[in-house]
Amino acid sequence: MTERMLKFVATPQALPDKRPAAERRRDFDEIYADFARDKAAEQASRCSQCGVPFCQIHCPLHNNIPDWLKLTAEGRLEEAYELSSATNNFPEICGRICPQDRLCEGNCVIEKGFESVTIGSVERYITDTAWDEGWVKPIAPRRERPESVGIVGAGPAGLAAAEQLRRKGYQVTVYDRYDRVGGLLIYGIPNFKLEKEIVQRREALLRQSKVTFVLNCEVGRDVSLAELRARHGALLIATGVYKARDIAAPGVGLPGIVAALDFLTTSNRQGLGDEVPDFDSGALDAKGKHVVVLGGGDTAMDCVRTAVRQGAKSVKCLYRRDRANMPGSQREVKHAEEEGVEFVWLTAPQSFLGKEAVSHVRSVRIHLGMPDATGRQTPQEIPNSHVNVEADLVLKALGFDPEDLPAAFDAADLAVTGWGTLKIDWRSMATSLDGVFAAGDIVRGASLVVWAVRDGRDAAERIHGYLSAKARPAAAAA
Ligand code: FAD
Ligand code: SF4
Ligand code: SF4
């Protein structure tokens, strides 16, 4: 064990500097500054180099965290980058937006008493440095293979698979209905969590690596699944989940009540310099409005913090459970509170009031009752506890379901689960259709970027196995 490590007793935990909330409220720039080189090394040196690293076990990519922390502490950053990029296609993205408190850092053994190693910030620092130093290079496969793979969806699952397949020399084409590459990385997640240049430089790298992108192309409308199956040796479906869950409450159709992703996509497009009529008309602009966000997940957190930055008069988040029971990252809640968001815990909407447009959310107070079968306490309404919350923009962040893909793709044989996600054999990542694989949110339901990357990598490996097996009889006969 090197003497450089095990510094967690003497060296307190430190994250990169966070910009003051008053400044953050005024722009969409990232909230954390970069680590300086000595700070990153110092923080990496807090790791105790566990024999059984729980951080690694709880990282969906099983990143070799202790080893790259040690290399960082020793100033061997290029080697640290080689190691960290061997298991993760987008370490600088995961380092920024993984909910580390629930994954690697939340399971760091020094968490108890000394506060975890700041794994995500070090991971981000290693790869940002690699980009600055020119260590991140386009893929040049050792040999080109003739077989082509089509990927439907240019989100993190599709992009991770595309990169892995290109490494093996396959000819890869990615189709997406959006006009930009990145899926929710570009149009869902706001700039203050993940600056768009970070995603766009990955796109440029994939293009330089000879991945072909066909954008503005909706499979099921502009091209059929059957056509793509005939065009490619194998297909990967990585289309994510986009059907916004709704609330069946009186008045829900009033103008001013909108789906969270419409609001966030509009804001992201506006930030990217697009002309966005819904923003320009004010319909999806929070400026000067009383904004109420319904929900307690990551999407809700992104909505409240976007509304603050757009200049809302007030921003409230209504959630039917309490702080301890919300699904969103606690770190995000803290950022939102610092930025002036008011959380109205244990409160559920019942109806929406207003004449021409929404003016109030009529809500009821909630008491958390006995735990249900899943162990979560059941929300129970408290009689006669109604409150009217002022609102001229209500954002519904109630979760997402998959679209009906067998119908959209005109592929009745494409098997789905009871939740509508694609049914796959987890060992082969194969769907019910021969040569068609699936990965990411369309398989898991709304999940995380790091899981999408993991699935994309796994799917690429299985597609390689499938195409290799298909090529073998032909080679043997020749
Ligand atoms: P997506 O990223 O959704 O990409 C799917 C792509 O498929 C899209 O580009 C779409 O246009 C395309 N597509 C769909 N249908 C078709 C079709 N018929 N033809 C062609 N193309 C099609 N995760 C985190 O880890 N950290 C976070 O902080 C975080 N914040 C989030 C904030 C918001 C607002 C949201 C909505 C999600 C957030 N997530 C976060 C979750 C994360 O973004 C997703 O889990 C992840 O993007 C899923 O990746 P994917 O590749 O499966 O799908
Ligand atoms: Fe932690 Fe995510 Fe990085 Fe894994 S990918 S080490 S979970 S930040
Ligand atoms: Fe280091 Fe914490 Fe991982 Fe142990 S659990 S190897 S201390 S980062």
Side-chain angles (χ1 to χ4, degrees), residues 11 30 38 52 55 61 114 146 172 190 199 211 224 235 255 276 282 284 288 331 343 387 389 391 409 415 424 448 478:
T11 309
E30 266 192 41
D38 54 341
V52 181
C55 55
L61 293 161
F114 292 98
V172 180
V199 185
V211 170
S224 72
L235 265 192
V276 199
L284 292 182
R331 214 180 259 178
F343 284 85
V387 277
V389 184
F409 286 177
I424 59 165
L448 294 172

Side-chain angles (χ1 to χ4, degrees), residues 419-476:
W419 294 278
T421 48
L422 285 187
K423 200 177 206 169
I424 59 165
D425 172 345
W426 278 99
R427 281 162 307 176
S428 65
M429 308 288 289
T431 66
S432 55
L433 302 179
D434 181 43
V436 180
F437 299 76
D441 279 5
I442 191 57
V443 176
R444 292 181 181 273
S447 178
L448 294 172
V449 169
V450 65
W451 280 113
V453 174
R454 165 73 192 270
D455 287 352
R457 293 174 69 89
D458 286 351
E461 204 50 49
R462 306 301 181 273
I463 290 171
H464 172 54
Y466 170 84
L467 290 174
S468 307
K470 237 168 96 170
R472 242 173 261 133

Side-chain angles (χ1 to χ4, degrees), residues 34-35 40 63 68 72 76-96 119-137 163 167 198 201-202 205:
D34 296 334
F35 256 147
N63 282 341
W68 49 250
T72 306
R76 294 157 64 187
L77 282 178
E78 194 166 357
E79 290 162 84
Y81 164 68
E82 292 297 333
L83 203 59
S84 104
S85 60
T87 50
N88 189 351
N89 299 77
F90 314 122
E92 75 284 25
I93 295 178
C94 292
R96 283 173 167 82
I119 300 167
S121 307
V122 176
E123 186 179 25
R124 165 191 164 169
Y125 169 74
I126 295 169
T127 314
D128 282 350
T129 307
W131 278 99
D132 292 346
E133 297 290 330
W135 302 332
V136 186
K137 299 256 167 42
E163 186 168 299
R167 281 186 200 289
I198 308 286
R201 70 182 176 189
R202 281 285 168 192
L205 190 81

Side-chain angles (χ1 to χ4, degrees), residues 47-50 53-55 65-66 69 107-110 117 119:
C47 168
S48 71
Q49 299 284 285
C50 304
F54 284 101
C55 55
I65 299 164
L69 287 173
N107 289 281
C108 171
V109 292
I110 64 169
V117 179
I119 300 167

Side-chain angles (χ1 to χ4, degrees), residues 11 28 53 58 74 173 252 259 281 290 296 344 351 387 440 451 478:
T11 309
F28 281 79
H58 288 272
E74 292 171 357
T173 304
V252 73
S281 71
H290 293 290
V344 188
S351 61
V387 277
W451 280 113

